[in-house]
Amino acid sequence: MGGRETVIFLALTLLFCLKAAEASQCSTHGVPLVRNISELPPDNYGRPGFSHSTIAGSLLHGMKEVEVWFETFAPGSRTPIHRHSCEEVFVVLKGSGTLYVASNSHLKYPGQPQEFSIFANSTFHVPVNDAHHVWNTNQDEDLQFLVIISRPPMKVCRHKVVLLKTSTCGGGDHLQHYARSLFIYDDWFMPHIAANLKFPIYWDEQCFQTPAKDEL
């Protein structure tokens, strides 16, 4: 095999390996029963100071009732103001910061939030559809926690996306996977109708499959 053929062969092999790795990351089959969290690939999804790893997810691992995330926020970093139609529980592993929750989110806009101090070995939950965000207000240490999320609020069927309360996909359609969405706000007084829908969520984008359309 000549030099040019060798280069082409190595390039094709590398491309195949990259595609195989991407496919395996999105596979719901063959996931080991026991895994080392430190070996899970983190990503910041374009957000400096943020790190996310999906420990157990719907699209990544085929979970149907719950998702578990491992996240780290560098000093000064924070989530956007957002809300979602599922329950969320945090377990703080390291660091400290501030939780902001708007308990009046059932009105036309979130409104003035309440502030809560969070710290290592503390836990907190966010009620369904309450706008909130978490901020690492500790300038000297990372804020790190586990996040447990209840079942995603939407089902992605073969030809459409439906709310979870819909028992079946309907019309002979079949379920492909569950998906998660959230609404993002510029500030606490932004009307709900003006909030930005993020669907699918950042870490589901790579594995999300858009429902196919029926041909005419």
Side-chain angles (χ1 to χ4, degrees):
M1 183 181 294
R4 183 171 179 271
E5 289 79 7
T6 300
V7 172
I8 294 175
F9 174 77
L10 291 175
L12 291 175
T13 301
L14 177 60
L15 179 62
F16 174 80
C17 292
L18 291 174
K19 290 297 183 181
E22 179 178 331
S24 64
Q25 182 179 352
C26 300
S27 174
T28 59
H29 304 288
V31 178
L33 190 63
V34 178
R35 289 172 294 150
N36 186 340
I37 292 179
S38 63
E39 295 177 354
L40 300 180
D43 200 326
N44 68 2
Y45 300 93
R47 294 165 53 188
F50 171 72
S51 174
H52 171 97
S53 296
T54 299
I55 296 177
S58 173
L59 270 65
L60 286 175
H61 312 111
M63 304 297 289
K64 296 179 175 60
E65 301 294 339
V66 68
E67 289 199 12
V68 181
W69 306 335
F70 179 68
E71 296 184 337
T72 302
F73 287 78
S77 61
R78 56 182 174 174
T79 68
I81 301 170
H82 66 285
R83 66 177 176 88
H84 36 67
S85 301
C86 48
E87 295 173 310
E88 188 173 29
V89 177
F90 292 74
V91 179
V92 183
L93 304 176
K94 184 178 74 171
S96 60
T98 306
L99 164 69
Y100 297 85
V101 180
S103 57
N104 290 324
S105 294
H106 59 282
L107 301 177
K108 293 183 178 180
Y109 49 82
Q112 189 66 35
Q114 295 175 280
E115 298 183 22
F116 302 89
S117 296
I118 57 177
F119 46 89
N121 293 324
S122 67
T123 182
F124 59 94
H125 75 278
V126 178
V128 174
N129 275 327
D130 273 8
H132 60 283
H133 80 161
V134 179
W135 194 336
N136 183 357
T137 49
N138 184 337
Q139 295 301 314
D140 301 316
E141 187 177 16
D142 287 346
L143 174 62
Q144 191 173 79
F145 41 66
L146 288 176
V147 187
I148 301 92
I149 304 283
S150 64
R151 179 190 289 194
M154 294 186 179
K155 295 190 294 188
V156 179
C157 302
R158 186 164 56 93
H159 294 115
K160 59 188 174 183
V161 177
V162 298
L163 292 176
L164 193 60
K165 63 182 180 181
T166 305
S167 58
T168 62
C169 290
D173 212 346
H174 65 270
L175 177 69
Q176 287 188 322
H177 49 250
Y178 294 90
R180 188 172 307 284
S181 64
L182 53 82
F183 289 93
I184 299 176
Y185 296 77
D186 294 336
D187 57 63
W188 295 103
F189 296 93
M190 184 177 192
H192 294 310
I193 60 174
N196 301 302
L197 172 64
K198 176 57 182 171
F199 177 79
I201 202 168
Y202 306 98
W203 34 90
D204 283 348
E205 288 179 343
Q206 181 178 347
C207 301
F208 180 76
Q209 298 177 6
T210 304
K213 296 182 179 179
D214 288 320
E215 296 182 0
L216 296 177

